[in-house]
Amino acid sequence: DIVMTQSPDSLAVSLGERATINCKSSQRVLNSSNNKNFLAWYQQKPGQPPKLLIYWASTRESGVPDRFSGSGSGTDFTFTISSLQAEDVAVYYCQQYYRTPYTFGQGTKLEIK
Amino acid sequence: EVQLVESGGDLVQPGGSLRLSCAASGFTFSSYTMHWVRQAPGKGLEYVSAISGNGDSTYYANSVKGRFTISRDNSKNTLYLQMGSLRDEDMAVYYCGRGQIGTLLALMDVWGQGTTVTVSS
């Protein structure tokens, strides 16, 4: 199984500041034939279902504000919120959809400092 | 509006059975692979199962293989998860998610609100 490990487990950032979450996969999730990383980022607010923010490691889902971005390749990925807003308080998950069993990171809880 | 609405969650005894449903609207249901993902209380997300648009292909996580059955009725725009031999560790909120067209890849762009399964005697 591909193990997804996020860091940190929790993060407190001031409003307007940058928030960065890392995700490391135990195996490469890069498909060399199409050069795509099969890596997604989801946001889950309390009492709500997950919401897709980023896919193919760096493609923003339609309607997602451009303060959210993703980067990385192979086994190391980063999710960034460039300027934290109050409504961004949530748990963020990375997920690989490269190989079954599809797996999620343990989640990173983002709070306001 | 694209929407998924789960139902069927309930309190069930260990060893019991339950069928979850996920009603879809606002898109061509039969074209899309559909998925189930669960979340135990206070825990992270765990991938459960997938079914192709025409129902011919399915996938199960090892933790539910042989106990759960995913199915769909495209005439009713509804996805199902038949759960059997339920264990304490199956207790969770179960989400259905819309996947992609033509592939079982678990990239889920629409999620339902979830339905809660409680396993307890």
Side-chain angles (χ1 to χ4, degrees):
Chain A
D1 297 7
I2 298 178
V3 177
M4 307 300 290
T5 304
Q6 293 180 226
S7 61
D9 289 335
S10 63
L11 181 62
V13 174
S14 301
L15 289 172
E17 296 299 304
R18 178 183 299 262
T20 301
I21 299 171
N22 298 302
C23 175
K24 187 173 184 67
S25 58
S26 62
Q27 302 173 32
R28 288 165 61 90
V29 297
L30 171 65
N31 186 325
S32 55
S33 65
N34 60 13
N35 204 37
K36 287 188 171 182
N37 289 282
F38 287 48
L39 190 285
W41 290 95
Y42 296 88
Q43 174 193 64
Q44 187 178 31
K45 296 181 178 180
Q48 295 187 20
K51 175 186 176 182
L52 176 65
L53 298 180
I54 303 285
Y55 57 97
W56 301 129
S58 60
T59 301
R60 202 177 298 114
E61 174 71 338
S62 176
V64 172
D66 61 7
R67 66 179 181 274
F68 296 99
S69 65
S71 64
S73 184
T75 61
D76 293 281
F77 301 91
T78 300
F79 173 81
T80 302
I81 305 174
S82 60
S83 177
L84 188 70
Q85 305 299 303
E87 61 265 32
D88 300 334
V89 169
V91 178
Y92 292 85
Y93 295 93
C94 62
Q95 179 227 348
Q96 66 82 16
Y97 49 97
Y98 182 65
R99 182 170 291 145
T100 58
Y102 304 119
T103 45
F104 293 87
Q106 79 276 20
T108 295
K109 186 175 184 179
L110 178 58
E111 299 173 315
I112 305 295
K113 184 186 293 183
Chain B
E1 179 192 5
V2 175
Q3 194 171 13
L4 299 172
V5 179
E6 301 95 335
S7 61
D10 204 347
L11 169 64
V12 60
Q13 292 186 342
S17 299
L18 201 60
R19 188 177 82 159
L20 307 183
S21 299
C22 169
S25 59
F27 64 100
T28 306
F29 179 69
S30 60
S31 294
Y32 287 83
T33 292
M34 296 297 295
H35 305 271
W36 288 99
V37 174
R38 68 185 181 184
Q39 187 169 35
K43 301 298 184 181
L45 301 168
E46 180 188 12
Y47 187 81
V48 175
S49 185
I51 186 167
S52 60
N54 62 9
D56 284 356
S57 297
T58 59
Y59 168 80
Y60 299 94
N62 284 338
S63 58
V64 307
K65 195 176 297 182
R67 301 187 299 120
F68 290 10
T69 301
I70 191 171
S71 63
R72 63 193 298 160
D73 185 336
N74 287 341
S75 69
K76 295 181 178 180
N77 289 345
T78 303
L79 171 72
Y80 302 101
L81 186 67
Q82 180 67 48
M83 311 166 66
S85 302
L86 282 163
R87 306 167 179 169
D88 291 348
E89 55 264 34
D90 296 318
M91 186 163 66
V93 175
Y94 284 73
Y95 296 102
C96 62
R98 188 179 78 167
Q100 305 299 297
I101 296 174
T103 172
L104 285 182
L105 288 180
L107 175 57
M108 295 159 280
D109 64 349
V110 180
W111 295 63
Q113 287 295 318
T115 188
T116 301
V117 174
T118 302
V119 182
S120 176
S121 54

